[in-house]
Amino acid sequence: MTNRIHVACATRAGSTAVAEWAKHTASARDLIIPTDEVFFEGMIDPARLSFFDRLAVRLVKSPVGDRRNRDRIAAWADTLAPRLT
């Protein structure tokens, strides 16, 4: 069996946001069997966004800034090595 990893990143925290992103990634799960699926908060830098992207961020009231938890991401990544060998 080939190991596959599917990573999705959401910028909003909470079970509602995770449920929303799970709906968006459902089609990917139809194509692959993920080794693991985990959701992390991401980063939005308005300075790097187009006018329309900034408008969309404002309309959905998405938090801006770096909300990544690098320790949590590293801890999850450490669990992958044994499963990929």
Side-chain angles (χ1 to χ4, degrees), residues 9-11 41-45 48 63-68 70:
C9 180
T11 57
E41 291 189 87
M43 181 183 87
I44 295 180
D45 181 358
R48 299 182 73 183
V64 297
D66 189 350
R67 300 175 57 87
R68 295 172 289 187
R70 295 182 188 273

Side-chain angles (χ1 to χ4, degrees), residues 52-72:
F52 292 108
D53 289 336
R54 286 192 306 273
L55 181 61
V57 166
R58 188 176 297 171
L59 288 173
V60 299
K61 299 178 180 167
S62 183
V64 297
D66 189 350
R67 300 175 57 87
R68 295 172 289 187
N69 182 333
R70 295 182 188 273
D71 292 336
R72 183 170 174 245

Side-chain angles (χ1 to χ4, degrees), residues 28-51:
R29 286 190 302 277
D30 290 341
L31 300 173
I32 63 171
I33 301 169
T35 300
D36 197 7
E37 186 171 17
V38 64
F39 294 86
F40 301 108
E41 291 189 87
M43 181 183 87
I44 295 180
D45 181 358
R48 299 182 73 183
L49 299 177
S50 70
F51 169 78

